[in-house]
Amino acid sequence: MKNLKFAITLLLLSVSLLSFAQERPQAKKVKITGKITEKSTSQPLGYATVTLQNSKRPDVITGGMTDENGVFTIEANAGTYDVKFEFISFKPIEMKQLAIQEDKNFGTIALEAEAEMLDAVEIRAERSTVEIKLDKKVYNVGQDMIVKGGTISDVLDNVPSVSVDVEGNVSLRGNENVRILIDGKPSGLAGINIADALKMLPADAVDKVEVITNPSARYDAEGGAGILNIILKKGKNQGINGTVTATTGDPANHGFTGTINYKTEQFNLFTTQGYSYRKGPGNSMTDTEYLDGNGDVTGYLKERRNNERLNKSYNGVFGLEWYLDKSITWTNTLSYRRSSGENPDNVFQYRYDPSMNLQSITNRFSMESEKDENVDFSSNFIKKFKKDGHQLTVDLSFSQSDDDEDSDIPSRNVLDGTPISEQRTGNIQKQNRSLLQADYVLPIGEKSQFEAGYRGNFNDLLTDYSVENFNYGTGGWENDPQFTNTLEYKEKVNALYSQFGTKINRMSYLVGLRWEDSNIDINQLTQNIYKNKKYNNFFPSAFLTYEFNESSSASLSYSRRISRPRSRSINPFSSLSSNINLFRGNPDLDPSMTDAFDFGYLNKFGKLTFNTSMYFNRTKDAVQYVRNTEMINGTATLVTSPVNVGSEDRFGFEFTLSYSPYKWWRLNSNFNLFRNQTKGNYTYTDLSNNSQTIDFSNTAYSWFARINSKINLPLGIDWQANSTYNAPQTNAQGRSKGIISANMAFSKDVLKDKGTIALNVNDLFNSRKRITETNLATQNAYSEMQWRERQITLSFTYRFNKKKNEREKQPKRTDGDNGGEEYMGG
């Protein structure tokens, strides 16, 4: 009944919004048609632009874009126009003072590719790496040599506003509460551990990444910092064509990826197949100083760790896009991913007394093996109606994931060689996810649009974690109840949304309202702890955009967001790789609610594009990570757990700059400065059974900067380099130090531009390390952690029936990538 009442309320809201869309007196309309092709090959140029500028009123601009066959149809008011036909990297054609009073067909317009020589440097046409729009940034992976042979984690770590730490955790504008989507929807693969999932998928399978810092009501409300949408490659060109890439590297990084499609007038068959074999050596060190209650030193511990992760993975996608008629498209996709690996982890612990006299040396060796399997089926149905932009979209997807990890962990006394202990662990995770979504878009008049839709997201995750200790007395294995547990997590989220947008002269607005009903069951079977969290929330959004001219605009936006705790954050124990430093999830963790405000400005000065924003996020029930010392199996252990602590205010300033001083040189840079203020405290019981309170009230400043340079050198060689710096940041229990890293790559086209050889170096100076200091009443700790050492990769890409710089237009339909934000003038 409650849902019905809300639906009626939403419908009334939609009707009231529609009443604002008033029809204006219509001037005489004319239809302008034609086709744009490439002069040298007569091939159609899909998605070229046609601009009509009124000769008497230069501020009045209209136009359109060609479809995938190079054909354009534009409706405009009768008048006199300057008409311009253009496509990036082609010489534009411009016709001045054309009087268009009746329907006009321009016939075929043939554009000639630009080919200039400047200072003996070869100029080659290619799509811009970063497309900056007012509401989002689109990062085109295909032109980035640095990520060749890498993973999606490497891709994201080169995206403006995004950073990936040494363990693979993703943050947006310095905030880790980010929602990651694959092809517009949550992936079953990513549901278990998003950081690990992103390291499994190859970078060569990615077409582009959309960065949406303040999403509208059309999108999931999940993700306090915003949304990252990873769009995978899908062939869209006529006939048989494709791309294959082979890689090799040191440390071992061998792989093969191929994307092939066959398209006719009736259907499009496409597939992506990939296999990789990777080794990722890493290391870490921790120096700990133990204290008594009076601040006196009771001892020291030095831990040194080396590991070498091995991963063998297969990734396969099969799809059929079926054009039932000119207005109906039905796409079905089946994805299968499988990986296996091992991680030998060798740890030495040196213990000292307060006078730094060596007391013992312990060697702890962990051999971990894992197997992961994921199957995902998705179906997409699009019905387009007669009016341009009027359409209904229905999506359905099912996925199943299995993740199985086992490890054997013996410990021995190095000084005398005697065994100390032996443990073995098992971690089985199974997830089933289903999604149903429907979106309806209705254009109203020429400049207004109404949208409404439903989304149901259902997730079932089972985690079975076990730890056993070997009893040397009995010669058998015994269960360790401190760690062993079985956890069931079931999440059901139903959502309805509605939004309306219009453009009045130079001003556009978009207002929307989303309602989500969340029903979450958390069942800790081992300890018989059951919790049901049921709540529903409204998530309003509003966007206002003003265009000063065709190259300059400003925007003001607001949205409400939610961050639900998942997977690792709620699982009491997910690993036992160290016996002195553990992470413990919190099943009682509550969601955080964020109000996000953003003021943006975009300006294009010829060769320079400047996009800046000032943002403010206020979060209630913010999550902080508490560190305290516990005695576990007789060892003083630093335990880290997430808890809801008070509120968090994040205020920041960000800009993205794209500059091409010459046609052979392109620069992209991104800078983010933010202030993070936390208010709240947390009370716990220490080793002496005394109550202790941690005051999390803290104000911290930090910043992030990245610069990317790409140069076309003589002899057809491309050179690309980037550098990233994450500034230090303090918190209530310590600080993290600054990290600087750099990457570099070269590429050369061969075989008449059908092939490309690329050489890249990831972490050029081997400096990508997380360095932290922790200060507690019972201990002080200094640690360095390098997840992956410097990587050198050589790759070869071959294209058949497809040019290097051929533009492929992906379907605009993703989770909110049709209407909405795009409509607001991106």
Side-chain angles (χ1 to χ4, degrees), residues 30 121 317 333 336 384 414 443 466 494 512 525 532-533 547 571 813:
V30 294
V121 176
V317 179
T333 305
Y336 176 73
K384 295 183 178 180
V414 176
S466 64
N494 289 281
L525 299 177
N532 174 260
K533 298 186 178 184
E547 298 176 3
N571 189 0
R813 171 64 184 91

Side-chain angles (χ1 to χ4, degrees), residues 240-463:
I240 298 179
N241 55 82
T243 303
V244 293
T245 301
T247 61
T248 186
D250 181 55
N253 180 21
H254 315 303
F256 178 86
T257 301
T259 299
I260 303 172
N261 83 284
Y262 172 62
K263 183 178 180 182
T264 70
E265 296 293 334
Q266 291 77 35
F267 63 87
N268 178 32
L269 283 169
F270 57 89
T271 182
T272 296
Q273 302 292 315
Y275 176 81
S276 66
Y277 177 97
R278 293 189 178 95
K279 282 188 177 181
N283 61 82
S284 68
M285 59 87 71
T286 302
D287 290 341
T288 305
E289 178 185 64
Y290 294 102
L291 308 171
D292 62 14
N294 299 318
D296 295 326
V297 177
T298 61
Y300 300 91
L301 172 66
K302 294 184 177 181
E303 182 180 80
R304 301 296 182 264
R305 175 192 301 264
N306 286 283
N307 59 351
E308 188 176 82
R309 291 172 301 277
L310 168 65
N311 181 266
K312 296 175 287 185
S313 63
Y314 162 77
N315 172 51
V317 179
F318 305 87
L320 170 63
E321 192 174 21
W322 189 9
Y323 314 116
L324 300 178
D325 58 35
K326 292 184 178 180
S327 67
I328 299 177
T329 303
W330 185 24
T331 305
N332 292 282
T333 305
L334 178 66
S335 303
Y336 176 73
R337 302 179 181 97
R338 182 184 69 246
S339 71
S340 62
E342 58 186 37
N343 182 20
D345 189 10
N346 201 16
V347 182
F348 285 87
Q349 296 174 348
Y350 305 84
R351 296 185 183 273
Y352 301 84
D353 66 13
S355 300
M356 283 300 294
N357 297 311
L358 182 64
Q359 301 295 301
S360 67
I361 303 176
T362 301
N363 175 230
R364 179 182 170 87
F365 182 80
S366 172
M367 174 54 78
E368 179 185 282
S369 61
E370 63 175 335
K371 294 181 180 180
D372 305 307
E373 192 172 37
N374 171 261
V375 180
D376 185 297
F377 171 77
S378 61
S379 185
N380 169 251
F381 177 88
I382 299 177
K383 166 63 178 176
K384 295 183 178 180
F385 301 95
K386 290 184 178 181
K387 187 175 179 62
D388 186 35
H390 184 196
Q391 71 177 39
L392 171 68
T393 307
V394 179
D395 284 283
L396 182 66
S397 70
F398 304 95
S399 65
Q400 179 177 327
S401 302
D402 293 308
D403 186 359
D404 190 355
E405 294 181 3
D406 297 292
S407 62
D408 187 44
I409 313 173
S411 298
R412 64 182 180 91
N413 188 324
V414 176
L415 297 179
D416 60 17
T418 59
I420 298 174
S421 66
E422 186 170 357
Q423 293 177 309
R424 64 185 185 189
T425 69
N427 188 9
I428 300 174
Q429 296 188 81
K430 296 182 180 295
Q431 177 179 250
N432 292 289
R433 182 190 289 275
S434 57
L435 171 74
L436 174 62
Q437 178 168 341
D439 298 284
Y440 177 70
V441 180
L442 175 65
I444 303 171
E446 289 187 0
K447 299 182 179 180
S448 299
Q449 184 168 283
F450 168 75
E451 300 177 59
Y454 162 81
R455 184 184 183 99
N457 195 358
F458 312 101
N459 185 23
D460 190 344
L461 174 63
L462 175 67
T463 302

Side-chain angles (χ1 to χ4, degrees), residues 94-115:
E94 192 167 3
M95 302 177 182
K96 297 281 191 179
Q97 299 290 313
L98 283 184
I100 304 177
Q101 302 298 330
E102 304 292 341
D103 292 350
K104 182 173 180 60
N105 185 349
F106 280 91
T108 299
I109 305 295
L111 299 185
E112 183 178 356
E114 288 185 332

Side-chain angles (χ1 to χ4, degrees), residues 480-646:
D480 189 337
Q482 293 187 88
F483 297 96
T484 300
N485 73 92
T486 302
L487 181 72
E488 281 186 341
Y489 178 86
K490 296 183 178 181
E491 178 184 276
K492 298 179 284 292
V493 180
N494 289 281
L496 294 170
Y497 80 90
S498 175
Q499 61 184 24
F500 175 80
T502 191
K503 185 173 183 179
I504 304 173
N505 297 323
R506 294 185 177 183
M507 184 176 70
S508 304
Y509 71 83
L510 175 70
V511 292
L513 183 65
R514 187 180 186 91
W515 175 78
E516 291 191 352
D517 180 77
S518 305
N519 188 353
I520 298 172
D521 293 321
I522 301 174
N523 192 3
Q524 231 268 13
L525 299 177
T526 305
Q527 299 177 352
N528 198 26
I529 300 175
Y530 173 78
K531 296 181 181 296
N532 174 260
K533 298 186 178 184
K534 188 172 183 179
Y535 47 89
N536 55 73
N537 308 92
F538 287 95
F539 299 94
S541 64
F543 298 78
L544 181 66
T545 303
Y546 185 80
E547 298 176 3
F548 300 102
N549 51 55
E550 63 177 312
S551 60
S552 176
S553 54
S555 67
L556 180 65
S557 63
Y558 163 78
S559 68
R560 194 169 190 232
R561 313 289 298 162
I562 186 172
S563 296
R564 300 180 182 89
R566 300 177 186 277
S567 187
R568 184 170 182 260
S569 295
I570 61 174
N571 189 0
F573 287 96
S574 57
S575 69
L576 194 62
S577 59
S578 172
N579 64 331
I580 64 168
N581 196 336
L582 297 177
F583 179 89
R584 175 184 295 161
N586 178 7
D588 202 32
L589 209 59
D590 290 323
S592 303
M593 304 295 294
T594 300
D595 290 292
F597 302 85
D598 199 302
F599 174 74
Y601 176 73
L602 173 67
N603 204 335
K604 298 180 181 179
F605 311 89
K607 299 178 180 180
L608 177 69
T609 299
F610 180 72
N611 176 234
T612 184
S613 63
M614 184 169 58
Y615 59 91
F616 174 73
N617 293 354
R618 167 157 288 178
T619 303
K620 296 180 180 179
D621 290 325
V623 174
Q624 294 290 321
Y625 290 91
V626 176
R627 297 178 177 89
N628 57 64
T629 305
E630 297 182 16
M631 293 299 297
I632 298 179
N633 292 331
T635 301
T637 305
L638 182 65
V639 178
T640 302
S641 295
V643 294
N644 294 109
V645 178

